[in-house]
Amino acid sequence: DTGVSQDPRHKITKRGQNVTFRCDPISEHNRLYWYRQTLGQGPEFLTYFQNEAQLEKSRLLSDRFSAERPKGSFSTLEIQRTEQGDSAMYLCASSPIGQRLDGYTFGSGTRLTVV
Amino acid sequence: DQQVKQNSPSLSVQEGRISILNCDYTNSMFDYFLWYKKYPAEGPTFLISISSIKDKNEDGRFTVFLNKSAKHLSLHIVPSQPGDSAVYFCAASTSGGGADGLTFGKGTHLIIQP
């Protein structure tokens, strides 16, 4: 297991289309996080799972966004009816339970461009 | 309202000299602070952290200083090396157990000149 894997690396979509991203965390990590990074900004927290339970959601996560982690392993982030403002880098991170925040490992991200 | 601020978008330092990156925060509930390093087309990688019960943490060439009264922290890199050229993000959390999301600053682009 070489780290957190995200797919696809790049996605270009037309406004109004739905997109789905996948994150495969480090296999022994129970916690999984989604962040969004727009140009010139730092990553912004979107949501967090512990095993299959979604425990926290940011107010940034509008009702067009939905995240799942059905078996407590990989996670998907879906954006419905994409808007140009959704263009960003979507980052996934994972960490083990009981380890402090320096246990976070980020993936390389999925860059979404909405045209 | 930005709770974590990195006011220098970029910093240029000569190889071998000290690099000092600064970060200010406004939320007094933050109790754990981290620095991440990011290369283009990669995700952020953890560099060093500090708990609010400490005022200094050192790891090799990297030292983080925390001044709680000023709500300020800084990252010192000495000596600076060409591979240190990257974007550095300061991040903070209200819990150390990993259950809370991190709040990041906008980042400082560090350029190490030969």
Side-chain angles (χ1 to χ4, degrees), chain A residues 5-34:
Chain A
S5 177
Q6 292 189 246
D7 182 68
R9 290 296 304 272
H10 304 275
K11 178 73 176 178
I12 300 174
T13 191
K14 291 184 178 179
R15 190 173 49 188
Q17 297 293 306
N18 299 345
V19 293
T20 300
F21 311 138
R22 177 179 170 124
C23 171
D24 287 90
I26 292 172
S27 57
E28 61 267 27
H29 285 186
N30 306 88
R31 290 181 169 160
L32 186 147
Y33 310 81
W34 285 99

Coordinates of all heavy atoms in Angstrom, one line a residue, chain A residues 5-34:
Chain A
S5 N -4.9 7.0 -2.7 CA -5.0 7.1 -4.1 C -6.3 7.8 -4.5 O -7.4 7.5 -3.9 CB -5.0 5.7 -4.7 OG -5.2 5.7 -6.1
Q6 N -6.3 8.7 -5.5 CA -7.5 9.4 -5.9 C -7.6 9.2 -7.4 O -6.7 9.3 -8.2 CB -7.4 10.9 -5.5 CG -7.5 11.1 -4.0 CD -7.7 12.6 -3.7 OE1 -6.8 13.2 -3.1 NE2 -8.8 13.1 -4.1
D7 N -8.9 9.1 -7.8 CA -9.2 8.9 -9.2 C -10.4 9.6 -9.6 O -11.4 9.5 -8.9 CB -9.3 7.4 -9.5 CG -9.5 7.0 -11.0 OD1 -8.6 7.3 -11.8 OD2 -10.6 6.6 -11.3
P8 N -10.5 10.3 -10.8 CA -9.4 10.5 -11.7 C -8.5 11.6 -11.2 O -8.8 12.3 -10.2 CB -10.1 11.0 -13.0 CG -11.3 11.7 -12.4 CD -11.7 11.0 -11.2
R9 N -7.4 11.9 -11.8 CA -6.5 13.0 -11.5 C -7.0 14.3 -12.0 O -6.8 15.3 -11.4 CB -5.1 12.7 -12.0 CG -4.3 11.6 -11.3 CD -4.0 11.9 -9.8 NE -3.3 13.1 -9.6 CZ -2.0 13.2 -9.6 NH1 -1.2 12.2 -9.9 NH2 -1.4 14.4 -9.4
H10 N -7.6 14.2 -13.1 CA -8.2 15.4 -13.7 C -9.6 15.1 -14.3 O -9.8 14.0 -14.8 CB -7.3 15.9 -14.9 CG -5.9 16.2 -14.5 ND1 -5.5 17.4 -14.0 CD2 -4.8 15.4 -14.6 CE1 -4.2 17.4 -13.7 NE2 -3.8 16.2 -14.1
K11 N -10.5 16.1 -14.2 CA -11.8 15.9 -14.7 C -12.3 17.2 -15.3 O -12.3 18.2 -14.6 CB -12.8 15.4 -13.7 CG -14.2 15.2 -14.1 CD -14.4 14.0 -15.0 CE -15.9 13.8 -15.4 NZ -16.0 12.7 -16.3
I12 N -12.7 17.2 -16.6 CA -13.3 18.4 -17.2 C -14.8 18.1 -17.5 O -15.0 17.0 -18.1 CB -12.6 18.8 -18.5 CG1 -11.1 19.2 -18.2 CG2 -13.3 20.0 -19.1 CD1 -10.3 19.4 -19.4
T13 N -15.7 18.9 -17.0 CA -17.1 18.6 -17.2 C -17.8 19.9 -17.6 O -17.4 21.0 -17.3 CB -17.7 18.0 -16.0 OG1 -19.0 17.5 -16.2 CG2 -17.8 19.0 -14.8
K14 N -19.0 19.7 -18.2 CA -19.8 20.8 -18.6 C -20.7 21.2 -17.4 O -21.1 20.3 -16.7 CB -20.6 20.5 -19.8 CG -19.8 20.4 -21.1 CD -20.8 20.2 -22.3 CE -20.0 20.1 -23.6 NZ -20.8 19.8 -24.8
R15 N -21.0 22.5 -17.3 CA -21.8 22.9 -16.2 C -23.2 22.2 -16.3 O -23.7 22.0 -17.4 CB -22.1 24.4 -16.4 CG -22.8 25.1 -15.3 CD -22.8 26.6 -15.5 NE -23.2 27.0 -16.8 CZ -23.2 28.2 -17.3 NH1 -22.7 29.2 -16.6 NH2 -23.6 28.4 -18.5
G16 N -23.6 21.8 -15.1 CA -24.9 21.1 -15.0 C -24.8 19.6 -15.0 O -25.7 18.9 -14.7
Q17 N -23.6 19.0 -15.4 CA -23.4 17.6 -15.3 C -23.0 17.1 -13.9 O -22.6 17.9 -13.1 CB -22.2 17.2 -16.3 CG -22.5 17.5 -17.7 CD -23.6 16.7 -18.3 OE1 -23.5 15.4 -18.2 NE2 -24.6 17.3 -18.9
N18 N -23.2 15.8 -13.7 CA -22.8 15.2 -12.4 C -21.4 14.6 -12.5 O -21.1 14.1 -13.6 CB -23.8 14.2 -12.0 CG -25.2 14.7 -11.8 OD1 -25.4 15.9 -11.7 ND2 -26.2 13.8 -11.8
V19 N -20.6 14.7 -11.5 CA -19.3 14.1 -11.5 C -19.2 13.3 -10.2 O -19.8 13.6 -9.1 CB -18.2 15.1 -11.6 CG1 -18.2 15.8 -13.0 CG2 -18.2 16.1 -10.5
T20 N -18.4 12.2 -10.2 CA -18.1 11.4 -9.0 C -16.6 11.2 -9.0 O -15.9 10.8 -10.0 CB -18.8 10.1 -9.1 OG1 -20.2 10.3 -9.1 CG2 -18.5 9.3 -7.8
F21 N -16.0 11.4 -7.8 CA -14.6 11.1 -7.6 C -14.4 10.0 -6.6 O -15.3 9.8 -5.7 CB -13.9 12.3 -7.0 CG -14.1 13.6 -7.7 CD1 -14.4 14.8 -7.0 CD2 -14.2 13.7 -9.1 CE1 -14.6 16.0 -7.6 CE2 -14.4 14.9 -9.7 CZ -14.7 16.0 -9.0
R22 N -13.3 9.3 -6.7 CA -13.1 8.1 -5.8 C -11.8 8.3 -5.0 O -10.8 8.9 -5.5 CB -13.0 6.8 -6.6 CG -12.6 5.6 -5.7 CD -12.6 4.4 -6.5 NE -12.0 3.2 -5.7 CZ -12.7 2.1 -5.6 NH1 -13.9 1.9 -6.1 NH2 -12.1 1.1 -4.8
C23 N -11.8 7.9 -3.8 CA -10.6 7.9 -2.9 C -10.4 6.6 -2.3 O -11.3 6.0 -1.7 CB -10.8 9.0 -1.8 SG -9.4 9.0 -0.6
D24 N -9.2 6.0 -2.4 CA -8.8 4.8 -1.7 C -7.8 5.2 -0.7 O -6.7 5.6 -1.0 CB -8.2 3.8 -2.7 CG -9.3 3.2 -3.6 OD1 -9.5 3.7 -4.7 OD2 -9.9 2.2 -3.2
P25 N -8.2 5.1 0.6 CA -7.3 5.5 1.7 C -6.2 4.4 1.9 O -6.3 3.3 1.3 CB -8.2 5.6 2.9 CG -9.2 4.6 2.6 CD -9.5 4.6 1.1
I26 N -5.3 4.7 2.8 CA -4.3 3.7 3.3 C -5.2 2.6 4.0 O -6.0 3.0 4.8 CB -3.3 4.3 4.2 CG1 -2.4 5.2 3.3 CG2 -2.4 3.3 4.9 CD1 -1.4 6.1 4.1
S27 N -4.9 1.4 3.7 CA -5.8 0.3 4.1 C -6.1 0.2 5.6 O -7.2 -0.1 6.0 CB -5.3 -1.1 3.6 OG -4.0 -1.3 4.1
E28 N -5.2 0.5 6.4 CA -5.4 0.3 7.9 C -5.9 1.6 8.5 O -6.1 1.7 9.7 CB -4.1 -0.1 8.6 CG -3.0 0.9 8.5 CD -2.0 0.5 7.3 OE1 -2.5 -0.1 6.3 OE2 -0.8 0.9 7.4
H29 N -6.2 2.7 7.7 CA -6.7 3.9 8.3 C -8.2 3.9 8.4 O -8.9 3.7 7.4 CB -6.2 5.1 7.4 CG -4.8 5.5 7.5 ND1 -4.2 6.6 6.9 CD2 -3.8 4.9 8.2 CE1 -3.0 6.6 7.2 NE2 -2.7 5.6 8.0
N30 N -8.7 4.2 9.6 CA -10.2 4.2 9.8 C -10.8 5.5 9.4 O -12.0 5.6 9.1 CB -10.5 3.9 11.3 CG -9.8 2.7 11.7 OD1 -8.7 2.7 12.2 ND2 -10.5 1.5 11.6
R31 N -10.0 6.6 9.4 CA -10.6 7.9 9.2 C -10.3 8.4 7.8 O -9.2 8.2 7.3 CB -10.1 8.9 10.2 CG -10.6 8.6 11.6 CD -10.2 9.6 12.7 NE -10.9 9.4 13.9 CZ -10.5 9.8 15.1 NH1 -9.4 10.4 15.2 NH2 -11.3 9.6 16.1
L32 N -11.3 9.0 7.2 CA -11.1 9.5 5.8 C -11.7 10.9 5.8 O -12.8 11.2 6.3 CB -11.8 8.6 4.8 CG -11.6 8.9 3.4 CD1 -11.6 7.6 2.6 CD2 -12.7 9.8 2.8
Y33 N -11.0 11.8 5.1 CA -11.4 13.2 5.0 C -11.5 13.7 3.6 O -10.7 13.3 2.8 CB -10.4 14.1 5.8 CG -10.1 13.7 7.2 CD1 -9.1 12.7 7.4 CD2 -10.6 14.3 8.3 CE1 -8.8 12.2 8.6 CE2 -10.3 13.9 9.6 CZ -9.4 12.9 9.7 OH -9.0 12.5 11.0
W34 N -12.4 14.6 3.3 CA -12.4 15.3 2.0 C -12.2 16.8 2.2 O -12.8 17.4 3.1 CB -13.7 15.1 1.3 CG -13.9 13.7 0.6 CD1 -14.6 12.7 1.2 CD2 -13.4 13.3 -0.6 NE1 -14.6 11.6 0.3 CE2 -13.9 12.0 -0.8 CE3 -12.7 13.9 -1.6 CZ2 -13.6 11.2 -2.0 CZ3 -12.4 13.2 -2.8 CH2 -12.8 11.8 -2.9

